[in-house]
Amino acid sequence: MTTQNLPDVTILMPTYKAHRWLVDLLPILRQQCDTYPGHAEILVVDSGSNDGTVDVLKAYGATVVEIPHAHFSHGYARNLGVRHAKTDLILFMSADALPVGDDWLVKMVHLLDDPKIGAAHIRQLPRPNATPLEVFFNYEMYPGVDKRFTWKPTERMTLDKMFFSNVCSITYRDLALKYPFPENLIMSEDQIFAKLVLQAGYDTLYNSTVAVIHSHNYSLKALFRRNFDSAYSLLDISADTIGSSAVDGIRFITHEIAFLVKSGHWLWLAYVPIYEIARISGRIFGHFAMHLPLKTRVMFSYYSNYWTRSTVSS
């Protein structure tokens, strides 16, 4: 692909009450689309927003597909958007992420220059107001080193061999149609998509030179809930064991403490035990979620309405 003749691309976003993020994001996306050397459009699947989200989307020329909030799942919204899209390439985007650089869209498309690469995702930089712990999380999970993922059938498909993020990623529409996101998962639909793409013989790519700004300052309650959902969703996706997860967890905390010391955030060291108890306990309870009463799952989950759907056994 040359910059003078790039393939058509759709920027696809699911939204729900995202007006506060979109007022910053949409001017950037509009500029990227207008200067892109090819056809680029914005397509949004909105699940019942009532905060002005749809109005601001239409004001910036986005095509909006509206669904009831009760119908939302991460997989369903993205699959629906893929079916509505008409372009060869699909760029998945979260409404609370901000592209970095005037040529971000061009660089995203060039990540697929190698036909062996079926999908690619990019670096996520922390927001200026991110806490030191969230800054560390971003740097640890989205480092400044590229990584190409290639799967061998003799290998166990652990999370580190397929890690992928739909906060900002790009793939071919044909692949997204052939390997649709699971619609009954609470989250981690991006991981299973990457797994299927790898098993189909493609490589996936993490690129650290293209970036978006994206991070969360979770409360302890939200941190627990997010990790509860994450651990539960990964049960049937990755081949990680409790033992290997524990080793990875110890390594993560060791790096976390070293980061805080090196960066001079000494006072945050006292918060680490509380923070990590919330994070780790969320993952432990999530791993055993189906052994918990339904009321407990609803209480522990970030997406509590997921558990009351007919597709989830009580």
Side-chain angles (χ1 to χ4, degrees), residues 55-99:
D55 292 336
V56 71
L57 285 167
K58 291 181 177 179
Y60 278 93
T63 300
V64 182
V65 179
E66 298 184 60
I67 61 173
H69 185 60
H71 291 181
F72 172 82
S73 76
H74 290 288
Y76 173 70
R78 287 172 173 82
N79 289 339
L80 182 62
V82 170
R83 292 195 295 270
H84 276 80
K86 307 299 181 184
T87 60
D88 292 336
L89 301 184
I90 304 291
L91 192 160
F92 294 105
M93 186 80 180
S94 290
D96 60 346
L98 286 175

Side-chain angles (χ1 to χ4, degrees), residues 6 16 40 82-83 94 156 218 223 236 254 258:
L6 292 180
Y16 177 64
V82 170
R83 292 195 295 270
S94 290
R156 294 167 62 248
Y218 287 126
L223 181 69
D236 296 324
T254 302

Side-chain angles (χ1 to χ4, degrees), residues 257-271:
I257 292 172
F259 170 80
L260 292 175
V261 171
K262 186 176 180 179
S263 59
H265 295 291
W266 296 94
L267 294 179
W268 282 88
L269 291 171
Y271 188 63

Side-chain angles (χ1 to χ4, degrees), residues 92-114:
F92 294 105
M93 186 80 180
S94 290
D96 60 346
L98 286 175
V100 176
D102 292 338
D103 56 352
W104 163 84
L105 182 55
V106 169
K107 287 182 176 179
M108 287 294 301
V109 170
H110 276 302
L111 296 181
L112 298 181
D113 279 351
D114 184 342

Side-chain angles (χ1 to χ4, degrees), residues 122-259:
I122 64 171
R123 193 171 193 188
Q124 297 178 34
L125 299 173
R127 296 180 182 278
N129 66 344
T131 69
L133 294 178
E134 293 299 331
V135 170
F136 165 75
F137 177 85
N138 276 53
Y139 288 166
E140 183 77 0
M141 301 303 295
Y142 305 98
V145 180
D146 295 356
K147 183 174 182 180
R148 185 159 176 160
F149 297 80
T150 301
W151 183 67
K152 299 176 182 178
T154 55
E155 292 180 328
R156 294 167 62 248
M157 190 71 86
T158 52
L159 184 59
D160 65 317
K161 295 185 183 301
M162 61 177 170
F163 184 72
F164 197 80
S165 174
N166 268 344
V167 165
C168 188
S169 66
I170 190 165
T171 189
Y172 297 95
R173 181 173 182 266
D174 287 348
L175 277 182
L177 288 171
K178 189 173 183 179
Y179 304 106
F181 298 105
E183 298 185 358
N184 62 344
L185 272 184
I186 193 167
M187 59 189 301
S188 300
E189 79 295 334
D190 40 11
Q191 311 300 342
I192 199 165
F193 171 73
K195 179 179 180 179
L196 293 172
V197 169
L198 288 164
Q199 289 176 334
Y202 294 90
D203 291 353
T204 62
L205 177 70
Y206 165 72
N207 183 278
S208 63
T209 61
V210 191
V212 291
I213 298 172
H214 179 264
S215 61
H216 298 280
N217 287 337
Y218 287 126
S219 66
L220 292 176
K221 182 178 180 180
L223 181 69
F224 173 92
R225 288 178 162 181
R226 291 285 298 188
N227 280 276
F228 175 86
D229 290 344
S230 177
Y232 169 71
S233 68
L234 288 170
L235 283 176
D236 296 324
I237 300 176
S238 78
D240 293 276
T241 65
I242 294 179
S244 64
S245 297
V247 171
D248 290 340
I250 292 170
R251 184 184 302 113
F252 181 90
I253 295 172
T254 302
H255 291 177
E256 184 177 50
I257 292 172
F259 170 80

